[in-house]
Amino acid sequence: MESDEFHMLRSERRVVITGLGIICPLGDGPESYWSALSEKRGAVRKLAAFPVGGLPNDVGAEVPDFIPKTWPKKYSLPDTEHRKALNKSMKYMARDIQLAVAAADLAMANAGLVDAQIDPTRIGVDLGAGLISTELDELAPAINHSSQNGGVFDYGVWGREGIGQIPPYWLLKYLPNMLACHISILHDCQGPSNTITEAEAASNLAIGEASRIIARGRADMMITGGADSKIHPLSLVRMSLLDQMSRWKGEPSGACRPFDVQRDGWVPGEGAGILVLEERDHALKRGATILGEILGFGSGCDAQPEGGLDPEGIGTEIALNAALRDAGLKPSDIGHVNAHGAGSQVSDLAEARAFQRVFGGSKVPVTALKGYFGNLVSGCGVVELIASLLGSNRGLIPPTLNCDELDPSCDLDLVRGEARPTQNPIFVNTNLTRHGQAAALVVSGGSNVS
Amino acid sequence: MRRIVVTGMGMVTPLGRDMESTWASLQEGRSGVGPITLFNAESFPTRIAAEASRFDLKDYVEDHERWTEYCRNTKFAIAAARMAIDHSGIQTDDDLDRGRFGVYLGSGEGQQDFPRFVDLVRSSTREGKVDFAAFTSMGLERLHPIHEAEQEPGTPAGHLASLFGARGPNANCLTACAASSQAIGEATQLIRRGDADVMLTGGTHSMIHPFGVTGFNLLTALSTRNDEPTRASRPFDRDRDGFILGEGAGMLILEELEHAKRRGATIYGEIAGYGSTADAFRITDSHEDGRGAIACMKEALTEARLNPEDIDYINAHGTSTSVNDSIETLAIKKTLGETAYKVPISSTKSMMGHLIAAAGSVEAIVCLLTIRDGILPPTINLDNPDTDCDLDYIPHEARRKPVDVTFSNSFGFGGQNIALILRRYAG
């Protein structure tokens, strides 16, 4: 790039984090979330939501007590009209949507925006979301009604009589853009709206894109992050069919083991993380508490000719280098890396090799948090980012769980045991899909934002 | 500021196996709508759609057998992307820094494996409820790994990156019917900001499957003019009764201007403006004053530094639903003022149906072809314009007119609005 263009980019508007909302298996607020991380209390257990059979494993990380009847009282803004609108819309909301909507309410309150007068055309939404699995019992009556002739499905019966047995708004309940749409309606966000559906890379991509939208002046505030729930029978079957699920036979809490020699796969999780991003002067003018700053964003892809992951981690390397370049930082400026750390053999190795090439001799401390809460897929990027942000603002790097014996081929300075003190609030958060799509963010904790 | 031009285009649509055959059909005003053949829809409220009926991946790529089990979205995407890259003349091995060549798609979710899924639900139902333990254990044996994996909407973006060696930025957005227009807009921004020099962008989608038709029928969004398929999609007409599902893919090669010039590429147009807004109104309805649609069109005009008088053609979202066509007309009038009555507008959905996530990318390419050839495709079936649809919708027959600046509108469920301005590249 020409140097004058580079100068133009550096004169862009700065983007800070002024609010966060989290609902994940470890907690439903920054304090409970951080306590669990610092006390190394994981949330992977035998699945409680429903019984499973025949799968390689029956463990997962669930958000406890999150049910439509009660969560609005706990999490929604204390505004009667808002809560009325929320309860009215609940029938259109799959669990993924509800998690996002609840976390968005928490984030707006956290950002001090409950009664704030903000220009609705200058606030937008950009979220990561996934394929939402339909609730089986919504379809079962229609399917069974149409399969009465010796168990053979009859399209004629389905068309004539089955369709009418399905709730009228069934389709809208499962569209991935509805997380963002409900939030835009409930908080009157008329600015840009996008939904990134790229599995584990989704919420980092959304946060990066949202920060760019503010940087280029198209909005002053963005609600961003993501949500997902893989605690669903069909999602578990899919994970198993792709041979991704952990077969760990020990204690459930040990099932997801990032960078450990015995790692053997994923654990399903669920949750939501929402950030309020804001142009820095806009935030300062309204006296907002600044929790951090988005410094850089980069994305890349393994693009292996036969598909799948590159064991050398080329896509992650490209994403990391792009994010560092975007931030105008050197590898040695980074305090720690929050890795994807899926807990699968190839993925962790690929990441470790990418880190070695990017950070070389500086041997940056690395942490990976899926041992606590499994894979939140479209939500993992933001939930993991929030952990590092909370840590940075406490001078600590949250520790990796379940890496009892670091794989010697993953030559990393992995933060294990206790949370590690750090003076450097700048970190990199990176995630990776099974197609090798990678997205990285460079973020600074609040104390460095001046 | 870095300028972004289009140097390659490819599409698969109900009207043709490629861009030129689709374009010829559009100029002839031919409808691609007919009875649904992809599954037995004989008793569904809607039994018609615009299928890409002659599509076969083996006509496009040599290793088509590798993709046999993959979903229709992926196959359309591969074919359209192959054609777009060939059209651009880019030699992916020689002309590209792969780390600066990315993919940003607006692809829809892959279709549920309906026969296996309904059989599984039936087999695992106990006393009227699905037994989840039975469902999971039987599911593992009965569902097909590729069919399941292909439902994730981000997969085509991964496949295309692999096929063409694109190691740069990679994303997929899914904002219902606005998705692939949004992908073009955001891919443009990535190049503008310097993250990439070349982006493969567009979208792919088919919802012509039992759950797709079921879902839209439940929302009463589809036309039920089953006896007159070719007359069923009638945007802006008094007797319109819903949209017609289409399917296919549109892919574009976006390139930074200097990069395109250096390799002597043919330039088909410039992405001059992009607007993205939310209605923030209701999940089920557009805002009655067209609030979000107006704001996004204005945003695109501002970014392009153009005035209403500069617009030569609008490719409308024009779904043929009662609400969309009225509100879109209102929004065009509010955005362009008196000029609105002078700008020719058409809905190519009248011929190819609604490609949902892929619609915007195909329609953006149509805009670029109007610039190339000076021919505006018609809105067919517009026999009796609705009283509140009183603009120039190019009824029935294509029209010749030199075109420099075009608008492409895309609006999605939930209040998603995207407008793109594509203009002639004039140095």
Side-chain angles (χ1 to χ4, degrees):
Chain A
M1 201 183 300
E2 305 297 326
S3 62
D4 57 328
E5 284 174 13
F6 187 76
H7 180 77
M8 185 273 290
L9 296 180
R10 296 280 71 77
S11 66
E12 276 183 336
R13 289 147 50 100
R14 288 170 67 178
V15 182
V16 296
I17 304 168
T18 55
L20 64 85
I22 179 117
I23 296 180
C24 80
L26 295 189
D28 54 6
E31 297 306 325
S32 56
Y33 185 31
W34 180 257
S35 299
L37 289 167
S38 60
E39 291 160 21
K40 294 173 288 169
R41 278 188 280 112
V44 178
R45 301 188 175 88
K46 191 167 160 29
L47 281 169
F50 49 84
V52 297
L55 302 179
N57 220 324
D58 60 355
V59 302
E62 297 166 76
V63 173
D65 307 322
F66 187 83
I67 52 173
K69 274 213 170 83
T70 55
W71 75 252
K73 280 198 201 77
K74 262 200 289 188
Y75 301 127
S76 84
L77 298 179
D79 173 280
T80 322
E81 286 302 307
H82 176 84
R83 200 167 287 175
K84 225 166 85 185
L86 177 60
N87 282 321
K88 212 175 137 201
S89 302
M90 197 69 83
K91 61 176 178 289
Y92 308 135
M93 294 187 191
R95 186 171 174 87
D96 306 44
I97 301 175
Q98 293 178 39
L99 287 164
V101 166
D105 268 20
L106 291 175
M108 292 299 268
N110 184 252
L113 291 168
V114 177
D115 297 314
Q117 294 296 314
I118 46 175
D119 177 354
T121 66
R122 300 288 299 166
I123 177 166
V125 185
D126 201 327
L127 293 186
L131 179 69
I132 307 177
S133 295
T134 179
E135 282 171 36
L136 299 172
D137 282 325
E138 283 182 346
L139 295 175
I143 290 172
N144 289 309
H145 181 77
S146 310
S147 312
Q148 287 169 347
N149 185 9
V152 177
F153 184 83
D154 185 330
Y155 283 80
V157 176
W158 173 270
R160 275 189 304 277
E161 297 158 13
I163 291 177
Q165 299 185 19
I166 301 169
Y169 297 110
W170 171 72
L171 183 74
L172 297 178
K173 192 171 165 183
Y174 300 103
L175 295 180
N177 63 315
M178 288 299 162
L179 287 67
C181 290
H182 280 284
I183 291 169
S184 76
I185 292 166
L186 288 164
H187 297 283
D188 197 17
C189 308
Q190 299 175 31
S193 173
N194 199 9
T195 295
I196 309 285
T197 48
E198 190 151 280
E200 289 83 351
S203 55
N204 274 0
L205 288 168
I207 295 166
E209 191 170 279
S211 72
R212 296 286 178 79
I213 287 170
I214 295 174
R216 68 175 183 257
R218 183 55 191 89
D220 296 323
M221 306 182 78
M222 291 291 291
I223 297 176
T224 184
D228 213 332
S229 175
K230 295 303 176 203
I231 308 297
H232 183 289
L234 186 53
S235 305
L236 301 185
V237 171
R238 287 183 178 137
M239 196 177 272
S240 307
L241 283 170
L242 292 172
D243 200 22
Q244 290 165 322
M245 192 181 276
S246 164
R247 293 171 186 278
W248 181 255
K249 291 299 170 222
E251 283 297 308
S253 60
C256 182
R257 317 181 63 77
F259 302 106
D260 185 80
V261 282
Q262 292 190 71
R263 70 188 183 277
D264 68 349
W266 298 5
V267 165
E270 62 176 356
I274 299 289
L275 301 176
V276 175
L277 301 187
E278 192 165 354
E279 193 272 323
R280 185 169 168 274
D281 290 338
H282 191 274
L284 292 173
K285 232 176 267 168
R286 69 176 186 93
T289 304
I290 292 177
L291 307 171
E293 178 170 2
I294 307 293
L295 300 177
F297 163 53
S299 157
C301 188
D302 286 346
Q304 290 286 86
E306 296 306 314
L309 290 173
D310 172 13
E312 297 300 323
I314 183 74
T316 298
E317 179 185 359
I318 288 170
L320 291 168
N321 282 330
L324 287 168
R325 198 167 53 237
D326 190 35
L329 294 175
K330 301 185 298 292
S332 56
D333 294 327
I334 301 303
H336 77 274
V337 174
N338 190 320
H340 181 60
S344 70
Q345 283 291 333
V346 182
S347 176
D348 290 5
L349 181 61
E351 273 195 296
R353 286 171 171 166
F355 298 158
Q356 279 163 6
R357 288 199 303 281
V358 172
F359 295 96
S362 68
K363 210 95 195 274
V364 65
V366 173
T367 189
L369 305 177
K370 289 188 175 66
Y372 293 86
F373 43 65
N375 193 339
L376 278 61
V377 193
S378 312
C380 73
V382 63
V383 167
E384 291 161 15
L385 184 156
I386 289 173
S388 279
L389 186 68
L390 296 174
S392 283
N393 289 346
R394 290 162 172 79
L396 293 167
I397 304 169
T400 306
L401 210 60
N402 295 333
C403 185
D404 297 335
E405 188 184 347
L406 179 65
D407 182 346
S409 55
C410 300
D411 182 18
L412 299 174
D413 174 14
L414 196 75
V415 178
R416 294 187 284 172
E418 299 305 314
R420 187 189 294 182
T422 177
Q423 302 297 315
N424 185 348
I426 300 176
F427 62 91
V428 170
N429 186 49
T430 182
N431 291 100
L432 179 64
T433 77
R434 67 183 197 88
H435 296 289
Q437 298 146 316
L441 293 164
V442 182
V443 182
S444 172
S447 57
N448 199 44
V449 181
S450 53
Chain B
M1 190 160 84
R2 283 156 67 92
R3 293 169 66 182
I4 290 80
V5 293
V6 179
T7 56
M9 306 177 278
M11 61 166 81
V12 172
T13 75
L15 293 176
R17 62 172 304 278
D18 57 17
M19 181 171 75
E20 297 302 342
S21 57
T22 299
W23 183 224
S25 296
L26 287 170
Q27 292 174 52
E28 290 162 16
R30 198 164 68 73
S31 169
V33 185
I36 291 173
T37 64
L38 288 165
F39 64 96
N40 178 357
E42 278 169 24
S43 70
F44 281 58
T46 295
R47 306 190 277 279
I48 52 175
E51 297 181 348
S53 47
R54 293 197 198 93
F55 177 79
D56 192 334
L57 188 61
K58 76 171 161 33
D59 299 337
Y60 304 86
V61 292
E62 281 178 12
D63 65 341
H64 61 93
E65 279 171 7
R66 170 184 166 193
W67 301 101
T68 303
E69 294 296 336
Y70 286 70
C71 82
R72 234 164 142 72
N73 291 359
T74 287
K75 291 176 185 171
F76 291 146
I78 291 171
R82 178 74 265 168
M83 291 186 286
I85 286 172
D86 291 348
H87 188 232
S88 75
I90 283 181
Q91 303 296 316
T92 46
D93 293 332
D94 302 332
D95 291 341
L96 287 178
D97 172 351
R98 291 190 166 192
R100 298 188 56 76
F101 170 35
V103 179
Y104 198 131
L105 301 186
S107 300
E109 71 298 320
Q111 70 181 82
Q112 196 126 26
D113 186 344
F114 190 80
R116 286 188 175 88
F117 178 77
V118 295
D119 180 60
L120 176 60
V121 170
R122 179 194 59 79
S123 312
S124 54
T125 303
R126 307 278 181 268
E127 291 165 10
K129 291 262 180 200
V130 177
D131 178 321
F132 289 177
F135 181 92
T136 50
S137 72
M138 281 189 273
L140 211 50
E141 292 158 17
R142 298 190 187 182
L143 296 179
H144 191 293
I146 295 176
H147 297 184
E148 294 307 310
E150 282 283 288
Q151 291 171 44
E152 280 288 348
T155 52
H159 295 323
L160 295 188
S162 294
L163 279 174
F164 303 111
R167 288 178 165 169
N170 191 294
N172 189 76
C173 66
L174 185 42
T175 46
C177 315
S180 56
S181 294
Q182 185 142 24
I184 294 169
E186 291 298 337
T188 301
Q189 298 297 342
L190 284 173
I191 300 177
R192 184 157 288 150
R193 197 164 185 298
D195 294 77
D197 297 320
V198 181
M199 294 292 292
L200 170 59
T201 182
T204 181
H205 208 180
S206 177
M207 288 190 79
I208 308 177
H209 51 75
F211 277 138
V213 177
T214 294
F216 285 123
N217 268 155
L218 283 166
L219 294 169
T220 63
L222 296 178
S223 169
T224 53
R225 195 182 284 267
N226 294 307
D227 299 333
E228 294 181 291
T230 60
R231 297 172 54 77
S233 182
R234 37 196 320 115
F236 309 106
D237 187 81
R238 184 184 70 191
D239 300 318
R240 67 190 185 277
D241 73 330
F243 74 84
I244 286 290
L245 276 169
E247 60 173 357
M251 294 288 163
L252 298 88
I253 303 296
L254 303 188
E255 199 164 349
E256 192 272 323
L257 176 61
E258 298 306 319
H259 191 277
K261 279 187 184 164
R262 269 199 299 277
R263 65 176 191 90
T266 304
I267 294 172
Y268 297 96
E270 179 171 4
I271 311 290
Y274 162 53
S276 161
T277 63
D279 275 3
F281 181 58
R282 284 186 200 138
I283 290 300
T284 45
D285 307 295
S286 309
H287 189 267
E288 53 245 24
D289 300 329
R291 175 169 82 188
I294 296 164
C296 87
M297 292 178 79
K298 285 191 172 164
E299 176 67 24
L301 277 172
T302 304
E303 193 184 66
R305 295 179 194 168
L306 291 170
N307 299 309
E309 309 80 71
D310 298 320
I311 305 297
D312 297 312
Y313 167 68
I314 299 175
N315 187 294
H317 187 54
T319 54
S320 181
T321 62
S322 169
V323 173
N324 176 82
D325 299 355
S326 296
I327 291 181
E328 185 173 13
T329 297
L330 178 69
I332 291 171
K333 289 185 204 171
K334 289 252 184 83
T335 307
L336 302 185
E338 279 304 303
T339 311
Y341 291 90
K342 296 178 198 142
V343 183
I345 302 163
S346 66
S347 168
T348 40
K349 289 189 181 79
S350 61
M351 295 170 273
M352 63 173 111
H354 191 342
L355 277 63
I356 311 295
S361 57
V362 168
E363 289 159 12
I365 294 172
V366 168
C367 285
L368 292 162
L369 294 173
T370 68
I371 293 169
R372 188 189 72 177
D373 294 347
I375 298 171
L376 308 181
T379 303
I380 66 166
N381 298 324
L382 182 50
D383 299 330
N384 300 293
D386 203 351
T387 44
D388 56 2
C389 298
D390 55 350
L391 299 176
D392 174 8
Y393 305 103
I394 320 176
H396 307 304
E397 283 183 26
R399 189 183 296 171
R400 286 197 174 275
K401 182 197 170 182
V403 175
D404 289 324
V405 179
T406 66
F407 240 124
S408 184
N409 282 342
S410 301
F411 309 129
F413 273 130
Q416 312 257 193
N417 310 292
I418 301 293
L420 293 172
I421 292 179
L422 305 103
R423 69 179 299 178
R424 181 183 298 279
Y425 169 68

